[in-house]
């Protein structure tokens, strides 16, 4: 039987109980399966005939048989062999798993299709989240699809324009909080606690993590059931690294993969409590009071899923690293120019982390590495434009255009 369980004291809760924190110890929850039952279900299931997507893994999702799935066709994103990137950083085999290819342009859709399906199953009519941008964009879209009300709290002035546009056009009630993400999250936690009719869909919600674990499944399947040596992933609130690890360990336990990759989390230098805890070998994080980075998506000082993330990194013998804003922006531009993959700054932190860790000798040259890029570059056009040369203004005539291109003027012969 599938149930919810506290990650600390292991108290069990019913799968349909609306609960975000353990009533006994206050820690966060995760979904637990009966693996014998799941293995049995998979034996007779046709899951391997379904296209690569979140719902290929329907049997792994804690949703009742009768549920009406709220989907926009999420998952099934490309795993791009990136030879130029490999040459640039000095390793043989590197892939980019580009989550910007999801319906609203980020990995959040994997979690939201399951989270909003669960919300509808539970009879919720109003969903809420705090967000640095992508979660709000995704929740707004899936709530619209489900025909339910959506409220999002975002830090004022610190969210990329594309993401704000998405939340607004999908009809969410957008509250810009004069504060940062961590403060906004505290408010939505209190709101969901106080007003039981509002269903919370931040990554503290374990059903979102279930959807996001499909990212781990897909990477293994795209590599022919062989896990890579290492997965590099940007870390903010720390839900995604926990989710990918959960997926990998489930595939491992079911015997689909033989080994597990080293989970490698990358944080922006100005908001890196998890990387700090890993580097200092600490069992706790010290929250960053005023997180700052150009990668606004991961501008988070008190990640709610830090325990799960630290566990994933330690259990997998991985590591965590920080990258500066300059390294992030350089990596963003490099990836766009040598691989044709345009990602937002937070996503480029995995590429910047790869470069730094190879240079420092942490990543061996013969490792098979997958970098996850979490969101599309068009989410944040302002940051992209700021780093590039301005377009050249020309008059609307051939001469000016040829001159601007440094081409020799040629006589134009008009045939009659
Ligand atoms: N990359 C992008 C593009 C993100 O939007 C986020 C998180 C992350 C990485 C980090 O993932 O939080 O699971 O560790 N964005 C959240 C949001 C916080 O509100 O959109 P994480």
């Amino acid at each position: 039987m599938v149930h919810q369980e506290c990650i600390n004291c292991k108290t069990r809760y019913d799968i349909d109980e609306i609960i975000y924190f353990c009533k006994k110890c206050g820690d966060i929850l995760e979904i637990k399966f009966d693996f014998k039952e799941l293995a049995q279900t998979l034996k007779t299931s046709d899951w391997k005939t379904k296209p690569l997507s979140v719902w290929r893994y329907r049997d792994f999702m804690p949703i009742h048989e009768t549920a009406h799935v709220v989907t926009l066709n999420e998952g099934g994103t490309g795993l791009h062999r990136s030879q130029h990137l490999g040459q640039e950083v000095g390793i043989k085999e590197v892939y980019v798993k580009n989550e910007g290819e999801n319906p609203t342009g980020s990995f959040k859709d994997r979690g939201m299709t399951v989270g909003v399906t669960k919300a509808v199953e539970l009879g919720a009519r109003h969903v809420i989240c705090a967000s640095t941008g992508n979660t709000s964009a995704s929740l707004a879209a899936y709530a619209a699809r489900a025909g339910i009300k959506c409220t999002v709290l975002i830090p004022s002035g610190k969210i990329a324009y594309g993401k704000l546009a998405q939340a607004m056009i999908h009809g969410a009630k957008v509250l810009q909080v004069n504060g940062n993400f961590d403060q906004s999250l505290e408010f939505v936690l209190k709101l969901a606690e106080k007003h039981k009719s509002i269903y919370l869909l931040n990554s503290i919600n374990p059903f979102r993590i279930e959807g996001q674990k499909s990212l781990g499944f897909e990477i293994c399947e795209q590599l022919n059931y062989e896990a890579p040596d290492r997965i590099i992933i940007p870390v903010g609130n720390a839900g995604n690294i926990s989710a990918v690890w959960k997926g990998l360990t489930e595939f491992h336990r079911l015997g689909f993969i033989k080994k597990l990759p080293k989970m490698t989390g990358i944080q922006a230098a100005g908001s890196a409590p998890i990387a700090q805890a890993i580097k200092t070998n600490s069992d706790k994080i010290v929250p960053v009071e005023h997180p700052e980075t150009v990668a606004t998506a991961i501008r988070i000082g008190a990640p709610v899923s830090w325990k799960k993330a630290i566990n994933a990194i330690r259990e997998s013998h991985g590591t965590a690293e920080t990258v500066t804003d300059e390294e992030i922006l350089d990596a963003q531009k490099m990836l766009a120019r040598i691989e044709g993959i345009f990602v937002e700054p937070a996503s480029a932190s995995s590429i910047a982390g790869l470069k730094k860790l190879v240079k420092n000798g942490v990543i061996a040259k013969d490792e098979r590495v997958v970098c996850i890029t979490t969101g599309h570059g068009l989410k944040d056009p302002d940051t992209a434009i700021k780093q590039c040369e301005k377009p050249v203004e020309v008059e609307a005539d051939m001469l000016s255009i040829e001159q601007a291109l440094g081409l020799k003027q040629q006589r134009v012969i008009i045939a009659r």
Side-chain angles (χ1 to χ4, degrees):
M1 276 280 283
V2 59
H3 64 272
Q4 306 183 75
E5 194 174 293
C6 170
I7 62 162
N8 175 43
C9 73
K10 310 292 175 199
T11 303
R12 289 177 170 217
Y13 298 95
D14 187 87
I15 199 68
D16 290 325
E17 181 167 351
I18 298 181
I19 180 171
Y20 311 106
F21 293 101
C22 177
K23 287 181 204 162
K24 278 200 183 143
C25 74
D27 221 319
I28 58 173
L29 308 174
E30 64 180 335
I31 306 290
K32 287 278 189 180
F33 288 86
D34 176 332
F35 272 86
K36 266 197 198 142
E37 207 176 274
L38 179 58
Q40 206 53 41
T41 308
L42 291 174
K43 262 189 198 160
T44 53
S45 161
D46 62 351
W47 69 284
K48 284 195 179 170
T49 65
K50 304 257 168 69
L52 202 66
S53 67
V54 171
W55 294 103
R56 173 182 172 94
Y57 311 106
R58 175 75 175 83
D59 300 321
F60 298 77
M61 297 300 160
I63 298 294
H64 297 300
E65 256 347 289
T66 47
H68 173 69
V69 167
V70 183
T71 179
L72 288 164
N73 193 18
E74 45 294 311
T77 57
L79 182 73
H80 305 280
R81 177 83 200 261
S82 301
Q83 266 158 342
H84 294 131
L85 176 61
Q87 278 159 15
E88 180 70 29
V89 300
I91 59 169
K92 265 207 300 248
E93 201 176 347
V94 59
Y95 299 81
V96 172
K97 176 72 171 163
N98 189 19
E99 288 294 289
E101 295 166 30
N102 275 297
T104 76
S106 85
F107 70 94
K108 306 286 180 182
D109 298 340
R110 293 182 185 271
M112 285 309 174
T113 182
V114 177
V116 173
T117 297
K118 190 67 197 175
V120 171
E121 195 173 81
L122 292 167
R125 303 293 309 153
H126 186 179
V127 288
I128 195 168
C129 73
S131 178
T132 55
N134 282 321
T135 300
S136 63
S138 184
L139 183 59
Y142 284 85
R145 185 96 176 141
I148 59 178
K149 198 172 153 190
C150 174
T151 300
V152 304
L153 268 67
I154 53 169
S156 186
K158 291 288 181 181
I159 112 164
Y161 237 54
K163 303 172 190 181
L164 184 60
Q166 288 178 290
M168 289 167 71
I169 201 77
H170 288 303
K173 176 90 182 164
V174 181
L175 302 186
Q176 284 194 301
V177 179
N178 273 327
N180 61 29
F181 168 81
D182 303 294
Q183 292 165 309
S184 307
L185 183 60
E186 272 181 39
F187 284 121
V188 294
L189 289 172
K190 280 188 196 146
L191 276 169
E193 187 59 43
K194 198 168 165 191
H195 306 272
K196 299 287 182 207
S197 61
I198 308 181
Y199 189 65
L200 179 66
L201 272 165
N202 274 100
S203 59
I204 198 162
N205 182 316
F207 293 95
R208 268 205 37 211
I209 300 297
E210 291 306 294
Q212 286 176 211
K213 76 183 179 185
S214 62
L215 182 43
F217 294 160
E218 282 187 12
I219 291 172
C220 298
E221 293 212 72
Q222 286 170 309
L223 291 174
N224 240 340
Y225 297 97
E226 217 183 288
D229 298 313
R230 187 183 297 270
I231 293 181
I232 308 185
I233 179 167
V235 175
N237 215 14
N240 208 29
I241 189 168
S242 317
V244 173
W245 181 241
K246 189 171 195 285
L248 293 164
T249 51
E250 287 182 5
F251 251 33
H252 188 249
R253 204 163 155 189
L254 289 161
F256 294 130
I257 51 171
K258 290 200 187 70
K259 59 161 197 187
L260 285 160
K262 295 184 172 104
M263 298 303 292
T264 302
I266 308 296
Q267 294 201 288
S271 41
I274 291 174
Q276 219 48 45
I278 293 292
K279 280 172 188 278
T280 54
N281 214 7
S282 167
D283 282 337
K284 281 207 171 85
I285 58 156
V286 181
V288 176
E289 210 173 319
H290 301 292
E292 220 29 275
T293 169
V294 69
T296 50
I298 51 171
R299 186 174 168 267
I300 295 173
V304 73
S305 299
W306 65 270
K307 250 191 211 173
K308 285 185 181 176
I310 286 184
N311 177 53
I313 291 168
R314 296 229 165 102
E315 231 178 75
S316 69
H317 309 290
T319 190
E321 188 52 272
T322 61
V323 287
T324 63
D325 282 359
E326 198 185 342
E327 287 167 332
I328 289 174
L329 294 177
D330 281 352
Q332 182 194 27
K333 210 186 220 180
M334 179 211 355
L335 191 68
R337 296 196 171 180
I338 67 176
E339 293 293 350
I341 300 173
F342 181 25
V343 303
E344 66 167 287
S347 308
S349 67
S350 60
I351 309 296
L354 167 74
K355 194 171 170 185
K356 186 165 179 183
L357 291 169
V358 174
K359 196 170 161 209
N360 293 350
V362 177
I363 297 180
K365 297 198 184 314
D366 60 352
E367 276 186 44
R368 190 187 216 196
V369 181
V370 171
C371 288
I372 297 176
T373 54
T374 41
H376 201 288
L378 286 174
K379 295 266 190 181
D380 187 357
D382 304 285
T383 308
I385 287 172
K386 262 189 228 153
Q387 309 175 58
C388 298
E389 243 179 66
K390 275 200 186 129
V392 183
E393 268 194 53
V394 290
E395 291 307 319
D397 63 61
M398 272 300 274
L399 186 63
S400 315
I401 292 171
E402 282 178 331
Q403 269 174 353
L405 293 176
L407 297 172
K408 264 201 195 138
Q409 259 175 268
Q410 281 176 4
R411 266 231 204 117
V412 182
I413 299 158
I414 300 168
R416 286 179 195 273

